[in-house]
Amino acid sequence: MSFFSRFLLTITFLFLLNQHNFSQHNTVITDSITSKSFEELENLFYESKPDTLKAIMYANAKYYKALKEKDTMQILWSKYYLADIKNNDSIYLNFCDSLIKIYSVKPNKNFPTAIHLHKARFFYHRNKKSLILNELNQINNLNINNDSLNAIKNLYVGLSKFAIGKNHEALNYLKKSYKYINQKNQFNANDDFSSVPLNLTAAYIELKNYDSALYYNRKTLDIYRKLKDSVSLGYTFYNQASIYFDSGNHSSSIKSYKQSIPWIIEDENYRILCVVYSEVGKSYELIEDLGNALVYHLKSDSIYNQKKIKVKSLKYTLSFLSKHYKKQNNLEKQLHYINKLMELKEFRLTEKNKIQQTLTDEFDIPNLLAERKRIVEELEAKSKRNKIIFTSLLALLLALIGYQIRKNNIYKKRFQTLISKQKDNLKTIHPSTKEESKPKLELSESIVAFILEQLKKFEESNEFINIDLNLQYLASKFDTNASYLSKVINYHKHTSFSNYINKLRIEYCVEQLKNNELWRRYTIKAIANEVGFNKAESFSKAFFKYTELRPSYFIKELKKTQTSNISNET
């Protein structure tokens, strides 16, 4: 990843990111953690994945360190890890899209190309081929003057060609990528470069050019041994096994496949693991060891059941299991695997027919237009009825226009009111209901004073934008209990805990949108995440509750105001 570390964001963007509140991590992210290298943090993240909270801590530590060191690509990787451990792709994708939008205004030799390629890698590991091609098509519209990025682009174009069966074209792209990396000796520069020798070997295997496949697989073994990359070394055993299998040496293929399994499991590559189990089962069947064949085909089926991963080799596995249970006269199991085969066949047909479906949709649209024309002509033949309809529609349209004008005027007044208000004054924009008399708060004055002081610090440090914040977490941080904290907020803040937090978040959001131009370029989802909301819908509802405006309208009016001010100055 070393060559990426030069790709820094603009000073404006870094300033904005540093506004993000890290205080929610300060209790756990110590200097000893952030002093570790990015590689060490990455290893700690993967080692801690069984403990979700611990893994999140290391991902956040990587993010914080990357911000301090102004390393854009490491910031992207930290978002990648957070999306992975939280099972929320939008964390990563929204961040990428915001960066792409910024750099699309004035591209340079690194950006936004590097971000598109990072997304292509993300989609590749999630087997979303059409989305990979979309990112590559975006890159085609850019003028890339960076040999390293061109080499990565060639890798993913090659992999995309490989996926649709254009193996010779795929090989040409992979060879271009390999040539550059080999000349520059950049195999350890990043994960993309280190994967090129493996994919080049796989392309030769697919083309049944076993001499070249063996040649590059030997070179690949040497490369990964020098790099001490045990996981990638495991994949060379997988490629070696494929060569043995295609050459008819099934005993050797079983041995090599089994050598690869621990590393594929460590890499969490369940798609390849499903293929390996299926191929081992097939190899055992070919040497007439049906007992072990059944064991490994059932393992492949188990991966399919758990991960819902559909690979080509599953067809053979499911056919084997169906035939096996037929011989056992187990009709229920036989039917079970026949149904699975049909499901797999339907999936593959669906993937193949996406383009055909698109054409069908485009064919149906003209038919709908023709039908609409027929209805209009029929209505026009009934002039009297048409006149009534036209008059009614006109009246309705005028009423709608009047309503819209009135609505726009109301919204503009609300916008001007909101713009003129200072921070912490949203309650005057959207006043709460009249406060009812409450019983006296039965807590000692010292406890109440302590909690109020902690709340003041909490508000001043913007800790409320922590997306994982809840009442119990905040009470623990204040060294008090949730009941006391809730009572003090209800009594002194005149609202519930959730409303209190949401109001603070919206106040913070309004200030950022007013004062930071870059925030106005973010998507609603990205803004929601930045201020602590998990969903854009929840954020929009809260924003409207406290401002009586939709966030999209507020941003649009801010942009108009900015444009108007610039015009007046000139």
Side-chain angles (χ1 to χ4, degrees), residues 443-453 480 484-485 488:
L443 292 175
S444 70
E445 291 182 4
S446 60
I447 291 175
V448 173
F450 171 78
I451 292 176
L452 288 174
E453 180 62 23
T480 185
Y484 286 0
L485 178 59
V488 170

Side-chain angles (χ1 to χ4, degrees), residues 550-561:
R550 298 295 176 195
S552 56
Y553 177 86
F554 183 63
I555 293 169
K556 182 180 71 174
E557 290 300 311
L558 282 173
K559 288 179 179 178
K560 285 181 182 179
T561 303

Side-chain angles (χ1 to χ4, degrees), residues 192-352:
D192 292 318
F193 282 0
S194 68
S195 73
V196 170
L198 283 171
N199 286 299
L200 185 59
T201 304
Y204 277 116
I205 294 171
E206 194 69 20
L207 290 167
K208 303 189 185 305
N209 186 340
Y210 300 120
D211 289 339
S212 295
L214 283 167
Y215 170 79
Y216 281 103
N217 205 52
R218 282 194 293 269
K219 288 181 74 69
T220 302
L221 278 166
D222 291 336
I223 290 167
Y224 294 137
R225 279 173 179 152
K226 288 177 183 177
L227 295 176
K228 297 181 180 179
D229 185 346
S230 55
V231 172
S232 296
L233 197 62
Y235 283 102
T236 64
F237 298 135
Y238 168 77
N239 278 340
Q240 186 70 57
S242 298
I243 296 169
Y244 283 140
F245 182 89
D246 289 352
S247 302
N249 189 347
H250 301 302
S251 295
S252 295
S253 74
I254 291 170
K255 182 179 177 181
S256 291
Y257 274 132
K258 287 185 175 180
Q259 280 182 289
S260 72
I261 288 172
W263 308 112
I264 293 170
I265 291 173
E266 182 176 326
D267 197 36
E268 298 181 10
N269 193 338
Y270 298 107
R271 180 171 299 279
I272 296 297
L273 186 61
C274 187
V275 173
V276 169
Y277 285 147
S278 181
E279 293 299 305
V280 173
K282 191 187 296 186
S283 297
Y284 271 123
E285 184 182 2
L286 290 169
I287 61 173
E288 299 182 355
D289 185 345
L290 298 182
N292 276 316
L294 177 62
V295 169
Y296 279 89
H297 280 306
L298 286 171
K299 285 185 176 184
S300 182
D301 179 54
S302 176
I303 297 291
Y304 173 49
N305 291 335
Q306 293 173 29
K307 304 296 180 180
K308 300 303 177 187
I309 294 172
K310 298 178 175 71
V311 293
K312 188 177 179 180
S313 61
L314 267 173
K315 181 181 178 182
Y316 187 92
T317 286
L318 296 175
S319 295
F320 173 89
L321 292 171
S322 175
K323 291 173 185 176
H324 169 78
Y325 287 112
K326 182 179 180 180
K327 290 178 184 177
Q328 299 291 320
N329 291 321
N330 189 331
L331 295 178
E332 289 183 0
K333 289 273 189 172
Q334 183 189 359
L335 179 61
H336 172 72
Y337 285 107
I338 288 173
N339 287 336
K340 277 192 170 182
L341 270 170
M342 294 300 295
E343 178 185 313
L344 184 66
K345 182 179 179 182
E346 182 178 340
F347 169 78
R348 294 181 68 82
L349 285 173
T350 301
E351 289 293 299
K352 281 177 138 184

Side-chain angles (χ1 to χ4, degrees), residues 475-519:
S476 298
K477 186 175 177 63
F478 288 179
D479 199 22
T480 185
N481 65 55
S483 176
Y484 286 0
L485 178 59
S486 178
K487 287 178 180 179
V488 170
I489 289 173
N490 289 343
Y491 191 88
H492 286 277
K493 302 297 182 179
H494 314 299
T495 188
S496 66
F497 173 80
S498 60
N499 285 336
Y500 167 63
I501 296 300
N502 285 346
K503 180 173 175 289
L504 290 173
R505 287 171 173 174
I506 299 306
E507 287 174 346
Y508 176 81
C509 178
V510 168
E511 288 303 307
Q512 291 298 319
L513 288 171
K514 284 163 64 176
N515 299 318
N516 287 319
E517 180 186 349
L518 200 58
W519 271 59

Side-chain angles (χ1 to χ4, degrees), residues 461-477:
S461 60
N462 296 333
E463 291 184 68
F464 45 80
I465 64 173
N466 178 359
I467 203 166
D468 298 317
L469 184 66
N470 57 48
L471 181 62
Q472 188 60 53
Y473 169 86
L474 195 57
S476 298
K477 186 175 177 63

